[in-house]
């Protein structure tokens, strides 16, 4: 707790079993795999995810990005709603650790987010490498709010390991501007030199203050950086109560049919035959 208060973060090694994390990763990949199969990217005997190598999967992923960005984007949206991902965010081990770090009554700030970042899967830099920023600017919740960052694969510097600025949370909110939902921070040369890369293994968990300045490193490998993060507020934090539990996130459905003239009566009836 003292180290967390001083530095603004703590890395817990082997927080989850590797198999638990691999399960989430494989389910996320399975969503894309179904589209690879439908689009005939695969050989006839490659009917299961385990039938293809990581390299083959990545090549299919990059191909999907080039050929059908809408499909890739929709797959990316579906991975955010995996039941296994949401269960992980509610795991009792996380809740107990949050309480150890000072959150008396944890509450979810926003839904879980699962990332698969690589320069070959992005039209803009911010979608694969986010420069120095603070998460509180987009959360706007309790002052002791915490972010939990989980690697779904082992992430070293070559995959763009997360970079943190120890102690920067104590400076409070000093975002420079908002870019694609991120509260960006302009760093001095001294701060840039003080940034630390946090290399992690599958199963590790990084807990950090939402005020901690951090950035994603550059992924120079051939592999996407798979990770997820969860955000939590504290219902007991006095200023959060005073601010009427401020909540900045807006969720709403599209008012238009995404697929025009769908479904027909026959489409619906076929489901129930």
């Amino acid at each position: 707790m003292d180290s967390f208060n001083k530095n603004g973060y703590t890395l817990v090694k082997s927080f989850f079993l590797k198999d638990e994390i691999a399960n989430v990763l494989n389910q996320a990949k399975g969503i894309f795999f179904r589209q690879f199969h439908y689009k005939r990217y695969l050989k006839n005997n490659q009917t299961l995810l385990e039938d293809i190598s990581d390299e083959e999967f990545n090549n299919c992923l990059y191909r999907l990005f080039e050929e059908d960005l809408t499909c890739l984007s929709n797959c990316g949206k579906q991975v955010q709603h995996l039941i296994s991902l949401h269960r992980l965010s509610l795991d009792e081990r996380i809740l107990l650790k949050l309480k150890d770090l000072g959150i008396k009554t944890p509450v979810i700030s926003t839904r879980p987010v699962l990332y698969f970042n690589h320069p070959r899967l992005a039209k803009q830099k911010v979608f694969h490498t986010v420069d120095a920023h603070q998460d509180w600017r987009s959360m706007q919740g309790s002052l002791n709010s915490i972010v939990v960052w989980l690697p779904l694969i082992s992430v070293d510097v070559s995959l763009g390991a997360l970079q943190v600025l120890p102690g920067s949370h104590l400076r409070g909110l000093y975002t420079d501007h908002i870019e694609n939902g991120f509260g960006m921070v302009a760093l001095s040369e001294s701060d840039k030199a003080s940034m630390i890369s946090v290399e992690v293994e599958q199963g590790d968990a990084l807990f950090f203050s939402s005020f901690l300045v951090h950035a994603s490193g550059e992924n120079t490998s051939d592999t996407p950086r798979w990770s997820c993060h969860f955000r939590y507020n504290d219902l007991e934090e006095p200023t959060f109560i005073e601010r009427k539990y401020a909540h900045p996130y807006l969720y709403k459905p599209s008012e238009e049919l995404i697929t025009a003239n769908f479904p027909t009566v026959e489409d619906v009836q076929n489901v129930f035959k």
Side-chain angles (χ1 to χ4, degrees):
M1 181 67 174
D2 290 342
S3 176
F4 178 84
N5 287 339
K6 177 183 178 181
N7 296 312
Y9 71 96
T10 184
L11 174 63
V12 185
K13 302 294 293 182
S14 302
F15 189 76
F16 288 108
L17 297 176
K18 290 186 177 181
D19 286 348
E20 294 177 285
I21 302 303
N23 177 56
V24 178
L25 175 63
N26 289 335
Q27 289 192 24
K29 285 186 170 182
I31 292 175
F32 294 95
F33 181 84
R34 292 178 181 88
Q35 289 293 336
F36 299 161
H37 191 271
Y38 175 76
K39 290 178 173 292
R40 302 186 184 279
Y41 286 2
L42 307 169
K43 299 174 184 177
N44 290 334
N45 63 343
Q46 295 176 318
T47 58
L48 301 173
L49 180 61
E50 52 263 35
D51 292 332
I52 64 174
S53 66
D54 288 342
E55 182 180 4
E56 289 176 302
F57 179 91
N58 293 338
N59 288 337
C60 287
L61 196 62
Y62 301 145
R63 179 180 174 183
L64 187 63
F65 174 80
E66 295 294 335
E67 295 182 355
D68 195 340
L69 183 57
T70 297
C71 181
L72 182 132
S73 296
N74 286 341
C75 288
K77 292 175 182 177
Q78 291 304 313
V79 300
Q80 314 304 324
H81 300 282
L82 285 170
I83 291 175
S84 58
L85 176 68
H86 285 249
R87 281 178 175 161
L88 194 63
S89 72
L90 300 172
D91 191 278
E92 189 66 22
R93 286 164 290 186
I94 288 181
L95 301 182
L96 289 174
K97 186 62 178 179
L98 291 174
K99 291 180 179 180
D100 286 343
L101 295 176
I103 292 187
K104 294 180 180 179
T105 304
V107 63
I108 295 169
S109 169
T110 186
R111 58 193 176 193
V113 180
L114 192 153
Y115 292 111
F116 48 102
N117 301 112
H118 193 276
R120 293 180 62 182
L121 297 172
K123 295 287 188 181
Q124 301 176 43
K125 177 186 174 183
V126 71
F127 296 134
H128 65 80
T129 305
V130 184
D131 292 331
H133 62 283
Q134 292 176 301
D135 286 347
W136 193 93
R137 181 59 183 81
S138 56
M139 295 170 64
Q140 300 187 51
S142 64
L143 295 182
N144 60 346
S145 54
I146 288 176
V147 178
V148 183
W149 191 86
L150 299 173
L152 296 180
I153 61 174
S154 295
V155 179
D156 59 14
V157 172
S158 70
L159 267 82
L162 203 69
Q163 299 175 340
V164 301
L165 182 59
S168 55
H169 63 304
L170 298 175
R171 304 179 191 178
L173 183 66
Y174 62 111
T175 56
D176 182 55
H177 67 283
I178 295 293
E179 182 178 337
N180 290 292
F182 296 100
M184 308 307 293
V185 173
L187 294 181
S188 66
E189 291 303 315
S190 175
D191 283 341
K192 291 178 182 178
S194 298
M195 293 284 280
I196 296 174
S197 291
V198 183
E199 294 188 312
V200 288
E201 297 178 303
Q202 188 182 57
D204 295 349
L206 181 66
F207 293 76
F208 60 89
S209 163
S210 62
F211 287 101
L212 182 75
V213 174
H214 59 288
S216 49
E218 182 179 358
N219 187 347
T220 59
S221 74
D222 295 326
T223 302
R225 180 182 61 243
W226 291 85
S227 64
C228 58
H229 83 224
F230 313 137
R231 297 176 169 186
Y232 305 89
N233 286 313
D234 185 355
L235 288 173
E236 301 298 323
E237 200 273 309
T239 68
F240 196 31
I241 296 174
E242 181 182 356
R243 295 171 51 241
K244 306 174 185 178
Y245 293 135
H247 185 79
Y249 299 98
L250 301 175
Y251 304 133
K252 62 180 181 178
S254 169
E255 296 182 4
E256 303 296 326
L257 281 175
I258 295 174
T259 305
N261 305 314
F262 180 86
T264 65
V265 173
E266 183 180 7
D267 289 327
V268 176
Q269 291 179 351
N270 284 338
V271 173
F272 298 101
K273 284 184 178 179

